[in-house]
Amino acid sequence: MSYYAKHLFVCTNRRDNPCRQSCGDDDIGADAVDYLKGHAKAMGLMGVGKLRISSAGCLGRCDEGPVMVLYPQGRWYTYVDESDLQEILDEELANDRVVTRLLMDKPESNE
């Protein structure tokens, strides 16, 4: 078993273009980390055998907006505001349910 069941990396890189063009706010990543950590801790999700949330440098997907990646699941998410972050907390991080509308790499449709 891994030390953490889930590890969420949130881009907090503060570069010039293209990051600022897609994210808009220099502090959006740092603000997201603060929000996620505070709420995840209050929900009892953090700790050994559970969840770890970390700031990350450039994750290489600058042109796609603010990004985060969850391991070992390998799911990439984007977000706009705190309601999106809360949905990721409530669904993916607390209940292992994928938040499809915020996924960056949508699953293929079988239709």
Side-chain angles (χ1 to χ4, degrees), residues 22-86:
S22 61
C23 297
D25 180 355
D26 283 340
D27 294 323
I28 193 167
D31 292 344
V33 169
D34 291 345
Y35 181 90
L36 290 164
K37 281 185 174 183
H39 285 78
K41 185 175 180 182
M43 294 168 70
L45 301 176
M46 302 284 281
V48 176
K50 297 179 184 180
L51 172 66
R52 169 96 177 151
I53 299 172
S54 298
S55 297
C58 183
L59 293 172
R61 297 184 79 167
C62 302
D63 59 337
E64 298 177 73
V67 300
M68 61 182 75
V69 61
L70 180 65
Y71 283 104
Q73 293 78 2
R75 286 193 275 273
W76 289 81
Y77 283 105
T78 190
Y79 57 93
V80 173
D81 54 27
E82 288 181 352
S83 66
D84 290 343
L85 298 174
Q86 190 62 51

